[in-house]
Amino acid sequence: MKPAMETAAEENTEQSQEKKGCFECCIKCLGGVPYASLVATILCFSGVALFCGCGHVALAGTISILEQHFSTNASDHALLSEVIQLMQYVIYGIASFFFLYGIILLAEGFYTTSAVKELHGEFKTTVCGRCISGMFVFLTYVLGLAWLGVFGFSAVPVFMFYNIWSTCEVIKSPQTNSTATGSQICVDIRQYGIIPWNALPGRACGSTLESICNTNEFYMSYHLFIVACAGAGATVIALLIYMMATTYNFAVLKFKSREDCCTKF
């Protein structure tokens, strides 16, 4: 009886040790995850997807509104059509580039954590590895500055559509102390510089302007530009997080390259 009890106790002890070993292994793996890089990657993918997808559809809707209501002659907005088409192709390139770049930065974050050392033995840095990390730091800073410009640029169509929408609201609900009638309230799209001054009709007034605001193209384009602007802002935040993560990783690799060092950022 006693040997049987001892055998059962030993089996229970082995099982508890196995469970404890699995638990400790999971904790070590979770402790080695670069959470900052992971959050930045998710935010970057989401922001770029919103900016590219919504921006592409909004640009198509904008050119449709211009052709139907503000510039009936195709030669007047031919340059704008070419620019918008070029921007749509650029959007494809931006989406592809940031998909690859986000994966690369996330992989770099994983491979500079303690999880790599725990799984693959001694972790030592090389000059080439430090140079690659430094290159990522520089490139991320450049992209961050570039996306600040993109974020500011994406706010321009939101401002334009907001002005048109607010003018339509004035026409729908005229002020009692206003001297202008609804038919005298106009929006001249030529003042924004997107079509030349000789473009006809170039502006819309009164009920015509109100009907434009009630179209599906205007409603969709306005809100899609807002979402695209928000996506650009999310991408800027993601790149700021990437800046901190890559800078921290590079600093650790540079100043402690000869020590038993790794980073979890």
Side-chain angles (χ1 to χ4, degrees):
M1 181 66 67
K2 185 176 180 181
M5 294 178 62
E6 290 180 353
T7 303
E10 290 177 356
E11 290 179 356
N12 293 332
T13 304
E14 290 178 357
Q15 291 178 358
S16 63
Q17 288 178 351
E18 289 179 359
K19 292 180 180 179
K20 185 178 180 181
C22 292
F23 179 75
E24 291 179 352
C25 182
C26 292
I27 293 298
K28 288 181 180 179
C29 290
L30 292 175
V33 174
Y35 291 104
S37 297
L38 183 62
V39 170
T41 302
I42 296 173
L43 193 60
C44 182
F45 284 176
S46 302
V48 172
L50 289 175
F51 174 79
C52 294
C54 296
H56 185 277
V57 178
L59 287 173
T62 300
I63 196 66
S64 176
I65 294 172
L66 288 174
E67 290 176 349
Q68 295 178 13
H69 304 287
F70 293 100
S71 181
T72 55
N73 190 358
S75 60
D76 291 335
H77 59 270
L79 179 60
L80 178 63
S81 299
E82 293 178 359
V83 171
I84 288 179
Q85 187 177 11
L86 178 62
M87 291 175 64
Q88 289 175 332
Y89 285 117
V90 170
I91 283 175
Y92 297 145
I94 290 174
S96 302
F97 172 78
F98 271 91
F99 176 76
L100 294 176
Y101 190 69
I103 292 176
I104 291 172
L105 286 183
L106 181 61
E108 196 240 357
F110 270 105
Y111 276 93
T112 51
T113 59
S114 58
V116 176
K117 177 191 169 186
E118 295 288 339
L119 295 176
H120 301 287
E122 192 65 25
F123 179 73
K124 295 181 179 180
T125 63
T126 62
V127 176
C128 181
R130 293 193 295 274
C131 289
I132 293 175
S133 295
M135 181 191 68
F136 282 138
V137 173
F138 174 76
L139 186 57
T140 305
Y141 271 83
V142 172
L143 290 174
L145 292 175
W147 268 96
L148 282 174
V150 172
F151 176 63
F153 178 77
S154 63
V156 174
V158 176
F159 172 74
M160 293 170 52
F161 273 83
Y162 174 77
N163 283 342
I164 298 174
W165 175 81
S166 60
T167 305
C168 290
E169 291 298 314
V170 172
I171 295 174
K172 294 178 182 179
S173 304
Q175 301 293 329
T176 55
N177 57 352
S178 176
T179 58
T181 60
S183 60
Q184 295 175 326
I185 300 175
C186 304
V187 168
D188 194 339
I189 205 69
R190 295 170 296 187
Q191 66 182 342
Y192 296 107
I194 58 177
I195 57 176
W197 280 103
N198 58 357
L200 295 175
R203 67 174 186 172
C205 303
S207 59
T208 303
L209 179 60
E210 188 175 357
S211 64
I212 294 173
C213 293
N214 292 330
T215 59
N216 185 53
E217 289 85 358
F218 180 86
Y219 179 84
M220 289 295 296
S221 298
Y222 179 34
H223 290 84
L224 286 175
F225 272 127
I226 294 176
V227 176
C229 184
T235 307
V236 171
I237 296 174
L239 288 173
L240 289 175
I241 299 174
Y242 273 139
M243 287 180 194
M244 293 185 291
T246 54
T247 303
Y248 179 79
N249 290 338
F250 176 72
V252 172
L253 293 177
K254 180 178 179 181
F255 293 108
K256 297 186 178 181
S257 59
R258 296 182 180 178
E259 300 176 7
D260 188 12
C261 166
C262 43
T263 172
K264 292 184 181 180
F265 199 58

